[in-house]
């Protein structure tokens, strides 16, 4: 067997070992029923949500870097709260909450009306 084949086989084994490294989740995106979501009162407040009706309630901080989207358009927290409060049937509407697990913060909240 030539040195090139041995080198190539060793390289493939090294790449396979690196590819099988432990994966860890650092953020989750939850599709949340609007009735299971409480918007933060301020830019440095907390958002409260349940991923499902039977799931435990989660509380995560929001920061000034948290992004709020209404119909794929970036809005301020005040504009987001006004849009959400104008919705009549909160059980029929869903939004997306991106929750960063390591920092326990919400990085994005998006809703399509």
């Amino acid at each position: 067997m030539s040195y090139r084949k041995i080198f190539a086989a060793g390289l493939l084994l090294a790449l396979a070992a690196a590819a099988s490294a432990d994966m860890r989740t650092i953020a989750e995106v939850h599709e949340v029923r609007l009735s299971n979501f409480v918007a933060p009162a301020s830019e440095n407040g907390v958002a409260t949500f349940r991923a499902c009706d039977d799931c435990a309630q989660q509380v995560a901080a929001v920061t000034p870097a948290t992004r709020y989207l209404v119909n794929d358009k970036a809005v301020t927290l005040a504009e987001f709260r006004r849009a959400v409060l104008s919705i009549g049937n909160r059980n029929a509407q869903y939004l997306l909450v991106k929750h960063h697990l390591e920092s326990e913060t919400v990085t994005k909240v998006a809703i399509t009306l």
Side-chain angles (χ1 to χ4, degrees), residues 10 14-15 22-23 31-32 35 38 41-43 45 57 61-63 68 74 80 95-96 100-101:
L15 291 175
D22 289 334
M23 302 295 276
E31 185 177 30
V32 177
S35 59
V38 178
S42 70
E43 287 186 349
Q57 188 173 24
V62 296
T63 67
Y68 301 94
F80 179 82
L95 52 83
L96 297 176
H100 191 273
L101 301 174

Side-chain angles (χ1 to χ4, degrees), residues 31-108:
E31 185 177 30
V32 177
R33 187 186 313 264
L34 188 54
S35 59
N36 290 335
F37 177 79
V38 178
S42 70
E43 287 186 349
N44 291 313
V46 295
T48 306
F49 61 94
R50 286 185 294 166
C52 65
D53 292 336
D54 297 328
C55 296
Q57 188 173 24
Q58 298 181 47
V59 177
V62 296
T63 67
T66 301
R67 294 180 50 214
Y68 301 94
L69 301 171
V70 176
N71 296 329
D72 294 325
K73 179 186 172 208
V75 296
T76 65
L77 174 58
E79 293 169 326
F80 179 82
R81 288 179 55 83
R82 274 194 296 276
V84 168
L85 289 174
S86 70
I87 297 171
N89 187 358
R90 296 175 62 87
N91 283 324
Q93 185 68 43
Y94 288 84
L95 52 83
L96 297 176
V97 178
K98 185 175 182 183
H99 181 206
H100 191 273
L101 301 174
E102 291 180 343
S103 64
E104 278 300 316
T105 59
V106 172
T107 59
K108 181 167 59 171

Side-chain angles (χ1 to χ4, degrees), residues 8-21:
L11 183 62
L12 288 174
L13 285 173
L15 291 175
S20 67

